[in-house]
Amino acid sequence: MVRTLQSQQSRVSRMLVILLITLSVILVAILVSVHQLDVFSIPQHTTREQDMPDNHPLHDKMSRNVDTNQLLIDKAQRARWLAHQRKQKEQELQQQMEEDEKQPPMNILLFYADDWRHDTMGAAGNPIVKTPFIDALAKEGVRFVENCVTTSICWISRATLYTGQYLARHHFEMLGRGRTLLKDGKPVEMKLEVPANETLYSLMKKKAKYFVGHAGKLGLWIDHQEYLGEGTFDYFVDEDGWHWREMGGKMVHITDKNTGDALRFLKMWEQKGKPKQKPFFLNVAYFATHAVDGDTRQYMPQNKSMAMYENDTIPIPATATEEAWQKMPYFFRPKSGGMNEGRTRWTWRYDESDKHQRMMKNYYRMASEVDTSVGIILKELEMQGQLNNTMIIFTTDSEY
């Protein structure tokens, strides 16, 4: 039985060898016949022909059958044509860059509002608050819907804006003091630790050669000359912590004061900076809509705004309940039974329905007043012929 199987396997192996040899001979014969042909058949280059313009030198030369030499010639011509097109585009780009360099740098106008929620504007989908000028900026420009702060505290965010660094780098932990370190066993307040010549205002003034102004809340409570650069500002006004104040024998609202200061800067630039071909950088740093700490009224809008939102009902968030508060993480609710700063301020403003309506309407009124100010300043830019030569940015310091 074993021998019979071995014999059968031997015969099958010989037959397979013969079959493989036969197939190899046939394949060699086919290859020889193909290589003996002088003309190759190639598919029509329909895609390339469609992509080429009508005046392309190869447009009429594409055919179903071409000889090898002609194919190489056409390929070389196409490479030269592509190189010519690339060089032409590079020359056009270089020319455009040279023309752009001849143009003066754009002015930069920063509207820096205080304590604005992300949706305190019509452009963000808020159906109640009226902010037509800010909405127009959003429509005509770019709105950064995923922008956020890393540390939602006023002075920390402002230090980040002024230095371009996170809290972990600028270390401005406490208002007016920064962080406190022990040196020789004594506590030392470090203030703003970023070198003055690396701050935003100093770079704009001394490196970019801008005409620099600040109108409104600086929000650091430090010497601006020492920590933001001596001689950095062509115009500087710091207003912080109030809504109404007597000035020149009359009561003035801080948003009107911010607006007037911004207009004074623009007039100054027109007289002093523009003749020297210096672009301007201006930070209009509104105090609104920040509340006045310690005043039970919190938000005090202008009298002319009081009719706004009078007949509106501001929705109360579904989470504005004691039950929702009790579900907050343990680290958010102090073990002593007290309240953190955010919860404390919430009780000042929103823990009762009528109080919530009053506070939110005044908050929205102050937001609309800022929007009106934005419109007034943009109108001044238009009158000076600078509106289309100015980069306009609207943002806030630390959310709300």
Side-chain angles (χ1 to χ4, degrees):
M1 179 68 71
V2 174
R3 289 183 178 179
T4 303
L5 290 174
Q6 290 177 343
S7 177
Q8 290 177 351
Q9 290 175 350
S10 178
R11 286 196 296 270
V12 170
S13 299
R14 286 196 295 270
M15 291 177 64
L16 287 174
V17 171
I18 294 171
L19 179 61
L20 288 174
I21 293 173
T22 304
L23 290 175
S24 299
V25 172
I26 294 172
L27 180 60
V28 170
I30 292 173
L31 292 174
V32 170
S33 62
V34 169
H35 281 280
Q36 287 177 343
L37 295 176
D38 292 332
V39 178
F40 292 91
S41 178
I42 62 174
Q44 186 175 3
H45 295 257
T46 55
T47 302
R48 290 182 181 176
E49 192 172 1
Q50 291 172 358
D51 291 341
M52 293 180 183
D54 293 339
N55 61 351
H56 191 277
L58 302 183
H59 190 277
D60 297 328
K61 294 185 179 182
M62 301 299 287
S63 61
R64 187 173 298 275
N65 296 303
V66 294
D67 61 44
T68 308
N69 292 334
Q70 187 61 46
L71 186 64
L72 293 175
I73 293 173
D74 289 348
K75 186 175 181 180
Q77 288 180 341
R78 183 172 184 274
R80 286 195 295 272
W81 179 79
L82 290 173
H84 173 73
Q85 293 294 314
R86 183 170 57 253
K87 184 176 181 180
Q88 186 175 358
K89 290 293 183 182
E90 290 174 351
Q91 291 175 343
E92 292 174 358
L93 179 60
Q94 181 65 29
Q95 183 179 358
Q96 183 63 48
M97 291 173 62
E98 291 174 358
E99 292 177 358
D100 290 342
E101 288 178 357
K102 294 177 182 178
Q103 299 295 324
M106 295 187 73
N107 307 310
I108 302 174
L109 174 59
L110 171 63
F111 292 115
Y112 197 31
D114 199 342
D115 280 358
W116 281 50
R117 273 176 55 92
H118 68 93
D119 58 356
T120 309
M121 62 181 77
N126 191 311
I128 297 177
V129 69
K130 304 295 189 296
T131 53
F133 294 106
I134 297 173
D135 294 347
L137 290 177
K139 183 178 180 180
E140 297 172 12
V142 177
R143 183 166 165 256
F144 295 90
V145 296
E146 296 184 8
N147 187 36
C148 62
V149 296
T150 59
T151 310
S152 189
I153 298 175
C154 173
W155 58 87
I156 294 176
S157 288
R158 290 171 184 272
T160 293
L161 174 71
Y162 302 151
T163 64
Q165 298 181 8
Y166 295 132
L167 172 62
R169 293 293 300 276
H170 65 63
H171 301 302
F172 196 72
E173 298 173 355
M174 295 303 297
L175 180 61
R177 304 198 302 267
R179 63 176 174 170
T180 300
L181 299 179
L182 287 177
K183 292 189 175 182
D184 298 327
K186 297 180 180 180
V188 177
E189 296 176 357
M190 299 301 294
K191 307 290 184 178
L192 186 64
E193 298 180 47
V194 178
N197 63 353
E198 295 180 12
T199 60
L200 171 66
Y201 293 109
S202 180
L203 291 171
M204 295 301 295
K205 173 70 175 181
K206 298 176 181 178
K207 189 171 183 178
K209 307 302 181 183
Y210 271 64
F211 194 81
V212 175
H214 175 96
K217 178 180 176 178
L218 186 66
L220 300 183
W221 293 11
I222 58 176
D223 187 305
H224 67 279
Q225 292 280 11
E226 180 178 356
Y227 292 100
L228 298 179
E230 186 175 355
T232 289
F233 295 93
D234 296 287
Y235 182 89
F236 181 86
V237 177
D238 187 5
E239 301 289 359
D240 185 2
W242 57 275
H243 286 171
W244 288 96
R245 179 173 289 177
E246 183 176 351
M247 293 183 174
K250 64 177 182 178
M251 296 300 292
V252 176
H253 194 272
I254 193 166
T255 301
D256 280 346
K257 180 67 164 56
N258 296 153
T259 307
D261 290 336
L263 296 178
R264 276 185 281 277
F265 168 84
L266 292 175
K267 293 292 186 183
M268 178 185 293
W269 171 78
E270 192 174 30
Q271 297 172 0
K272 297 182 178 181
K274 186 178 180 180
K276 297 179 181 179
Q277 296 184 334
K278 284 189 174 184
F280 70 77
F281 170 77
L282 171 63
N283 180 7
V284 186
Y286 297 102
F287 182 65
T289 54
H290 196 295
V292 176
D293 293 338
D295 193 309
T296 57
R297 294 170 295 176
Q298 293 290 286
Y299 305 106
M300 290 164 275
Q302 301 173 40
N303 296 331
K304 61 186 177 183
S305 303
M306 293 307 295
M308 298 184 71
Y309 313 116
E310 189 174 11
N311 298 319
D312 289 307
T313 300
I314 313 300
I316 297 178
T319 54
T321 63
E322 182 64 23
E323 180 184 5
W325 167 248
Q326 293 299 330
K327 290 181 179 179
M328 294 296 288
Y330 73 92
F331 55 80
F332 197 75
R333 295 180 287 111
K335 295 180 181 180
S336 62
M339 294 180 289
N340 66 18
E341 185 65 20
R343 185 66 171 177
T344 298
R345 291 170 183 258
W346 181 82
T347 61
W348 293 350
R349 303 162 188 168
Y350 310 121
D351 61 342
E352 298 173 2
S353 178
D354 290 344
K355 185 193 295 185
H356 180 274
Q357 293 298 316
R358 183 174 68 256
M359 293 290 181
M360 284 303 302
K361 288 180 181 181
N362 283 340
Y363 176 83
Y364 281 166
R365 286 163 182 149
M366 293 184 68
S368 292
E369 291 166 3
V370 168
D371 181 78
T372 299
S373 172
V374 168
I376 292 171
I377 296 170
L378 294 181
K379 185 63 178 179
E380 175 63 26
L381 278 182
E382 183 180 23
M383 292 174 62
Q384 291 191 15
Q386 296 297 317
L387 187 59
N388 293 328
N389 189 41
T390 303
M391 178 187 296
I392 302 166
I393 304 168
F394 183 92
T395 189
T396 185
D397 59 352
S398 58
E399 271 289 353
Y400 191 64

